[in-house]
């Protein structure tokens, strides 16, 4: 009698497990098929550029850049278990992946690193609240750790970073709650609290230009044809890539720290490209804007349903 009861219980448990697995598989198949319809415009301009490294190693990627001089990608992020922060190097030809732990002034670095940018032989790493860390690309040698030096203070919370020509653009993320900024600018009844600051690469103390941006912006880039792109994401909802033509950029006739302020109203952009959740910091490679998502790391998992395992290119010009 007891054996019979145990067999019945075992069958019920197996049935429940089978149903859960079945529902999981159906959800995965549904998302795999449905994403091509939900984000059809996105997939028309998207390409896979390189593997997004470290997703199954506790790494939470926040930014990516491309070293056009030596043909490799670098990604930056933090560790979900709060161990020493890392950057990953992905060779564009061999596809070899190498990670480096970070040190600041000789001490292990545990920062919640954000965007990273290569420019003229150096990497610029954003770390919210600290500023920008500048270190030579030659640091990525056989040594398993990289010295990033001390932070260079800037006039915002330094969440993401981008470079074009002789200039570096440093931006901050605002959500009005946990990550609140205070660079308030209003135009036509709309108020923004976050900014992107343009600096000369040789002088990160004096702003050249300011862009006032809306909430939940994770990245900033300028396409080869001069269009400004903002990457917006937060949580598990859709991401957006807002594309601004030069005509869409509003001169506010205001200044901050001696630099003119321009307003980027995403309701006034020329293109709003909807994309899968958790888009992050951006760079440019050739004629494409590149970015990665943090959604497929083991901390969040959602992106594994969408196959978000790469650094992606977007043809937005």
């Amino acid at each position: 009698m007891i054996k019979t009861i145990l067999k019945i219980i075992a069958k019920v448990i197996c049935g429940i497990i089978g149903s859960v697995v079945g529902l999981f598989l159906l959800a995965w198949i549904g998302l795999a098929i449905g994403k091509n319809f939900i984000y059809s415009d996105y997939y028309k301009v998207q390409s896979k550029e390189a593997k997004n490294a470290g997703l199954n190693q506790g790494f939470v990627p926040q930014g990516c850049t491309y070293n056009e001089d030596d043909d490799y990608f670098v990604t930056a992020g933090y560790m979900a278990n709060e161990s020493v922060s890392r950057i990953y190097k992905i060779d564009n030809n061999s596809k070899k992946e190498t990670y480096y732990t970070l040190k600041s002034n000789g001490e292990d670095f545990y920062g919640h690193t954000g965007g990273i940018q290569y420019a003229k032989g150096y990497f610029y790493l954003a770390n919210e609240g600290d500023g920008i860390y500048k270190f030579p690309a030659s640091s990525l040698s056989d040594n398993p750790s990289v010295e990033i030096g001390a932070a260079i203070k800037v006039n915002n919370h330094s969440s993401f970073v981008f470079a074009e020509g002789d200039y570096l653009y440093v931006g901050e993320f605002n959500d009005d709650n946990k990550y609140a900024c205070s660079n308030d600018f209003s135009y036509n009844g709309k108020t923004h609290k976050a900014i992107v600051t343009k600096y000369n690469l040789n002088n990160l103390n004096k702003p050249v230009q300011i862009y006032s941006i809306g909430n939940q912006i994770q990245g900033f880039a300028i396409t080869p044809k001069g269009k400004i792109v903002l990457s917006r994401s937060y949580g598990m909802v859709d991401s957006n890539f807002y594309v601004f033509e030069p005509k869409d950029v509003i001169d506010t006739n205001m200044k901050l720290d001696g630099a003119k302020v321009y307003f980027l109203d995403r309701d006034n952009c020329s293109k709003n490209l909807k994309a899968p959740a958790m888009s992050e910091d951006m760079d440019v490679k050739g004629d494409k804007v590149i970015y990665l998502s943090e959604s497929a790391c083991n901390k969040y998992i959602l992106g594994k349903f969408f196959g978000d395992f790469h650094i992606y290119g977007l043809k937005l010009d």
Side-chain angles (χ1 to χ4, degrees):
M1 182 69 178
I2 294 176
K3 287 184 179 180
T4 302
I5 293 173
L6 290 174
K7 286 181 179 180
I8 293 172
I9 292 173
K11 285 183 180 180
V12 171
I13 292 173
C14 288
I16 293 171
I17 293 172
S19 297
V20 171
V21 171
L23 288 172
F24 178 86
L25 289 173
L26 285 174
W28 186 86
I29 293 170
L31 283 172
I33 296 172
K35 69 179 185 180
N36 295 300
F37 296 96
I38 298 170
Y39 305 113
S40 58
D41 289 341
Y42 165 79
Y43 286 109
K44 288 176 184 176
V45 299
Q46 182 243 63
S47 60
K48 295 176 182 177
E49 299 296 317
K51 185 178 177 181
N52 188 0
L55 294 177
N56 295 316
Q57 299 170 11
F59 182 66
V60 185
Q62 300 293 291
C64 67
T65 189
Y66 175 66
N67 180 339
E68 67 274 10
D69 294 325
D70 295 305
D71 198 21
Y72 62 81
F73 298 87
V74 171
T75 64
Y78 64 95
M79 302 302 293
N81 65 359
E82 299 183 354
S83 58
V84 182
S85 301
R86 299 178 179 180
I87 59 174
Y88 279 80
K89 175 184 176 182
I90 306 103
D91 187 272
N92 196 31
N93 291 310
S94 69
K95 311 305 178 186
K96 179 183 177 181
E97 300 173 16
T98 307
Y99 79 78
Y100 303 85
T101 55
L102 303 183
K103 289 183 178 294
S104 176
N105 291 336
E107 300 292 329
D108 286 340
F109 182 79
Y110 297 89
H112 187 299
T113 61
I116 189 167
Q117 178 68 46
Y118 173 78
K120 299 187 175 183
Y122 287 87
F123 287 106
Y124 296 83
L125 178 67
N127 189 67
E128 185 169 357
D130 287 353
I132 297 294
Y133 292 83
K134 178 183 178 181
F135 56 98
S138 58
S139 300
L140 275 60
S141 60
D142 293 333
N143 194 318
S145 65
V146 171
E147 173 60 55
I148 62 175
I152 302 169
K153 291 291 185 180
V154 293
N155 73 342
N156 62 51
H157 286 95
S158 58
S159 299
F160 49 90
V161 62
F162 174 76
E164 181 198 41
D166 294 326
Y167 299 100
L168 190 74
Y169 299 79
V170 183
E172 60 186 354
F173 176 95
N174 180 74
D175 68 352
D176 290 330
N177 295 302
K178 184 178 179 180
Y179 304 101
C181 300
S182 57
N183 287 302
D184 293 23
F185 288 97
S186 298
Y187 188 86
N188 281 350
K190 183 175 291 187
T191 299
H192 293 165
K193 296 185 178 181
I195 59 172
V196 175
T197 305
K198 178 180 179 180
Y199 294 96
N200 191 293
L201 284 169
N202 296 320
N203 186 357
L204 299 185
N205 296 311
K206 183 180 179 181
V208 175
Q209 199 166 295
I210 306 285
Y211 292 96
S212 177
I213 58 173
N215 283 5
Q216 302 177 346
I217 300 301
Q218 302 273 11
F220 174 100
I222 299 176
T223 71
K225 293 186 178 179
K227 299 176 184 177
I228 292 175
V229 184
L230 298 179
S231 162
R232 188 220 63 82
S233 74
Y234 194 63
M236 301 298 182
V237 299
D238 296 334
S239 299
N240 300 89
F241 291 94
Y242 301 109
V243 183
F244 296 82
E245 303 275 0
K247 64 178 178 59
D248 303 326
V249 180
I250 301 166
D251 186 347
T252 66
N253 292 316
M254 292 182 275
K255 287 188 175 183
L256 175 64
D257 296 335
K260 290 189 68 172
V261 178
Y262 295 86
F263 203 81
L264 295 178
D265 182 356
R266 59 200 193 196
D267 292 330
N268 191 48
C269 67
S270 293
K271 185 174 186 177
N272 177 0
L273 182 67
K274 186 170 71 171
M278 295 190 170
S279 64
E280 296 289 331
D281 178 59
M282 299 180 290
D283 192 9
V284 167
K285 177 179 179 288
D287 61 352
K288 298 175 183 178
V289 169
I290 63 170
Y291 87 101
L292 50 64
S293 170
E294 65 178 344
S295 63
C297 70
N298 287 347
K299 180 178 179 178
Y300 295 113
I301 299 177
L302 176 69
K304 297 184 190 297
F305 291 98
F306 288 88
D308 271 345
F309 306 128
H310 295 83
I311 296 170
Y312 297 106
L314 299 177
K315 190 73 178 293
L316 298 175
D317 275 333

